Amino acid sequence: MTTATLRSEVWQRLDEPGDGSGYYTADEVVGALNRAQRLFALLSLCLETTGTLVLVAGQTWYHLRDYFDNWLAPLRVANGATKIRPATVAQLASLNVSWEGIEGEVSRYAHLGMDSMAVYRHPASPGTTLTSTYAKFPAALASNSDIPEIPEEYHPYLIDAAIPFLRLKEGGQALESALPLMQRFIECAGGVARYVRARSLDLRYDTVPAETITTDLSRALVIDAKRTPTWKAGKE
């Protein structure tokens, strides 16, 4: 489904005019669809790609979104044909309290937060590259012909999530009546996550989707009673 089709269906289900002249603008609808698609990818880790990280001599820490703007989570890191094992910072510190200053061939990595990654050991000279297979965020929908990156059979569920996101603008009963749609969206994402988890375990990936996805809708919607949220096309 294209952005134009998804947007039109959202307006139709909200009983809004199809030219964006109603309560919800075109930018708001596309922004909500983008938010829904990013949430789907976050919950299910269903999108992946591979990129190359060129290590800097003497550098231990990297912000991966400086290199991969769609970075979400590491799945597999390799140095050539050799898989680099994941570790925690505590595990690296237990090997050597001065682990951040040790030079040599990279043998492990630690991932923190959204995009911080440390390598153990760091190269003393330029030329080392790591290949990372990683879960990614989808490209933002912007033009009418753009198509969501998640599998096509799940595109209708983006509409289910977009409607509650939009209803945040009204709150009250309008939002409450839309929450079952978010529940259906989360259940769909959870089903995809279970499939991806099984596949990831077979492939011995370092990160897998959560076994249980929360159904706390207030957290999923990021409700903030002190402000009225707005979204623009291609942004959150």
Side-chain angles (χ1 to χ4, degrees), residues 21-42:
S21 62
Y23 188 64
Y24 300 105
T25 68
D27 279 351
E28 287 176 325
V29 173
V30 175
L33 289 166
N34 277 321
R35 191 178 181 90
Q37 187 181 202
R38 287 172 65 85
L39 179 58
F40 194 98
L42 176 64

Side-chain angles (χ1 to χ4, degrees), residues 121-168:
R121 299 168 288 261
H122 60 251
S125 57
T128 300
T129 61
L130 300 182
T131 301
S132 179
T133 299
Y134 62 93
K136 69 171 187 173
F137 280 118
L141 303 172
S143 69
N144 287 336
S145 60
D146 286 346
I147 298 174
E149 288 191 64
I150 68 169
E152 185 174 1
E153 60 264 36
Y154 306 120
H155 290 183
Y157 293 93
L158 298 180
I159 300 171
D160 286 343
I163 290 173
F165 283 136
L166 290 166
R167 290 297 193 192
L168 281 168

Side-chain angles (χ1 to χ4, degrees), residues 9-17 22-25 28-29 31-33 35 158-182 221-224 227-231:
E9 293 204 16
V10 170
W11 275 326
Q12 183 178 12
R13 287 175 60 179
L14 290 171
D15 197 23
E16 290 273 298
Y23 188 64
Y24 300 105
T25 68
E28 287 176 325
V29 173
L33 289 166
R35 191 178 181 90
L158 298 180
I159 300 171
D160 286 343
I163 290 173
F165 283 136
L166 290 166
R167 290 297 193 192
L168 281 168
K169 186 177 176 180
E170 299 172 79
Q173 291 183 346
L175 174 59
E176 186 176 358
S177 66
L179 292 183
L181 298 176
M182 179 59 74
L221 289 170
V222 197
I223 294 175
D224 184 344
R227 65 180 177 89
T228 300
T230 58
W231 298 284

